[in-house]
Amino acid sequence: MSQKASPAVRLKMSAEAARILQPGVPRDVQLAAACGTLPLPGRDQLILLCLLCRSEQGDIKNAALKSLREMTRDSLLPVLKDPSLPSEVLRILARVRLADVAVMEAVLLHPAVSEETLLDIARKADAGVLERLAAHRKRYAASAEIAAAMIANPAAGESLKIQLGEQAPQDLPEEDACEEGRSQEDLEAMIAEADREGLSKYQIAADLKVAEKIKLGLSGDKEWRTLLIKDPNKLVQAAVMKNPRITDGEVLMVAKNKSASDEVIRLILLNKDWVKLYEIKKALVVHPKTPAPKALRMVPFLSLRDIKELARSRQVPTLVATAARKELDMRRKRMGG
């Protein structure tokens, strides 16, 4: 066992579990513990796995990480109700099971969870865990730093930012800030009736509340998506981008639209499947709302022809044009002139 795990002996665990960490313990015993095959109580097993994750022996560390990731909720959640669990164990667990909403909620509610762990979760968690953290924010009301970290997290949507106070609800029409509007079923019935009366989708949209537009953005067909992506409200635009039926072609059209909002471009940049598509990548490089560091990282992936056009262009930021010229010079040198 490495010296990095030495603080483990100060943690409260059974003598049987503590012996596994002592110098001179056979390596195969530690490996068996890391694999979770030793018959230990749940609390001891969790603490031991967290400590073995810090081992300098790669196979032991990797086995412990694997065991922590695969530990079932049925065995893990009851242990997380133990108020005597050390904060260090919660910190390690928060890193290993960060995407598990149920486990993270148990960590968030644990009395021993440290502000350092909460900050780490706020900075790195995905939307589902952020929502749970926001739901319990009264417990951490004294820490403006946690709220700021959540707002800065790329996974935080506009509605969560509003909830955390980054944007004032007055940005929305007053009635929409207070009302959710029609249910999905009633909304669809209203639209069907309006269709029968010969109203266009543009006319229908004019009478919809923001909440109703968001519902349509998330579920509507291509005609609705095309209309609502132009809505001035960023929440509506974001809903369209999260519609599971949106096509790569539609995303490309948004990426080519120089007036697209920074929130929409941010959502495209967060989607690895979209960004890996060449035409979308090319459109993002030249988009005025793409952050410069992101655009610069994509320049080397463009074709020689597009690099040449970028190097000559006066329609892109100076930083991007300069990066294109440097990339062009490097490619010419590699090709021998």
Side-chain angles (χ1 to χ4, degrees):
M1 205 42 216
S2 86
Q3 299 211 349
K4 286 187 178 180
S6 58
V9 296
R10 297 197 296 269
L11 300 179
K12 293 181 180 180
M13 65 176 76
S14 69
E16 181 183 1
R19 277 196 296 270
I20 295 172
L21 300 173
Q22 297 301 316
V25 172
R27 185 175 169 284
D28 59 344
V29 173
Q30 288 193 345
L31 186 57
C35 293
T37 57
L38 297 184
L40 294 170
R43 184 182 187 279
D44 283 347
Q45 185 179 53
L46 176 59
I47 293 176
L48 194 56
L49 286 175
C50 287
L51 294 170
L52 290 172
C53 284
R54 303 169 64 183
S55 172
E56 288 182 348
Q57 299 184 53
D59 55 348
I60 292 177
K61 176 179 179 178
N62 292 336
L65 285 169
K66 184 174 185 291
S67 296
L68 268 184
R69 292 189 185 105
E70 295 178 352
M71 198 171 182
T72 66
R73 290 178 182 173
D74 288 343
S75 59
L76 186 54
L77 292 179
V79 179
L80 287 172
K81 293 180 180 179
D82 182 348
S84 69
L85 274 180
S87 61
E88 176 68 5
V89 169
L90 299 172
R91 184 185 69 82
I92 294 171
L93 190 61
R95 292 185 176 181
V96 177
R97 297 289 287 263
L98 186 59
D100 190 322
V101 177
V103 172
M104 284 303 97
E105 182 157 27
V107 170
L108 295 174
L109 293 174
H110 197 282
V113 67
S114 67
E115 184 162 335
E116 178 188 3
T117 297
L118 294 172
L119 274 171
D120 208 35
I121 293 171
R123 291 180 183 124
K124 301 174 183 176
D126 61 16
V129 175
L130 287 180
E131 287 174 4
R132 300 319 305 148
L133 180 55
H136 301 298
R137 68 188 185 280
K138 289 183 180 179
R139 291 167 57 90
Y140 322 116
S143 178
E145 191 176 0
I146 291 174
M150 293 174 69
I151 290 169
N153 186 323
E158 292 298 323
S159 58
L160 182 63
K161 291 179 182 179
I162 290 172
Q163 184 182 352
L164 293 169
E166 185 198 42
Q167 300 176 19
Q170 295 93 311
D171 292 344
L172 305 179
E174 185 174 347
E175 73 273 16
D176 289 331
C178 301
E179 299 179 20
E180 292 187 7
R182 304 172 182 85
S183 67
Q184 188 72 29
E185 184 178 352
D186 290 344
L187 185 59
E188 291 173 359
M190 182 276 291
I191 291 172
E193 179 63 24
D195 278 339
R196 286 192 291 271
E197 293 176 1
L199 296 179
S200 68
K201 284 182 169 59
Y202 182 84
Q203 291 172 310
I204 297 171
D207 290 330
L208 296 178
K209 296 179 173 62
V210 170
E212 293 169 339
K213 291 180 183 178
I214 290 172
K215 290 175 184 176
L216 280 175
L218 289 168
S219 62
D221 59 19
K222 184 176 181 179
E223 192 175 351
W224 273 114
R225 295 195 298 270
T226 301
L227 172 64
L228 294 176
I229 195 63
K230 300 173 184 175
D231 193 274
N233 191 291
K234 290 184 179 182
L235 291 176
V236 177
Q237 297 172 19
V240 173
M241 299 306 297
K242 295 173 184 176
N243 187 312
R245 293 192 289 171
I246 194 169
T247 66
D248 295 341
E250 290 173 75
V251 176
L252 177 59
M253 292 300 294
V254 174
K256 286 183 173 181
N257 181 1
K258 296 297 190 290
S259 63
S261 70
D262 50 358
E263 171 65 9
V264 167
I265 297 301
R266 185 185 71 84
L267 289 172
I268 296 176
L269 286 165
L270 285 173
N271 190 305
K272 294 179 181 178
D273 291 332
W274 291 340
V275 174
K276 72 182 181 183
L277 298 175
Y278 184 84
E279 289 300 323
I280 292 178
K281 192 191 306 288
K282 176 183 171 182
L284 290 172
V285 169
V286 300
H287 199 285
K289 303 291 178 57
T290 300
K294 298 278 189 182
L296 294 178
R297 281 198 290 270
M298 290 187 281
V299 168
F301 295 96
L302 299 183
S303 69
L304 181 60
R305 177 181 176 181
D306 289 331
I307 290 287
K308 288 179 178 178
E309 289 184 5
L310 267 183
R312 295 191 299 263
S313 176
R314 296 183 180 179
Q315 307 301 316
V316 298
T318 303
L319 281 174
V320 174
T322 301
R325 286 193 288 271
K326 289 181 179 178
E327 178 67 20
L328 185 58
D329 289 341
M330 289 176 58
R331 294 193 189 187
R332 284 171 174 168
K333 288 176 182 178
R334 286 199 296 264
M335 293 186 294

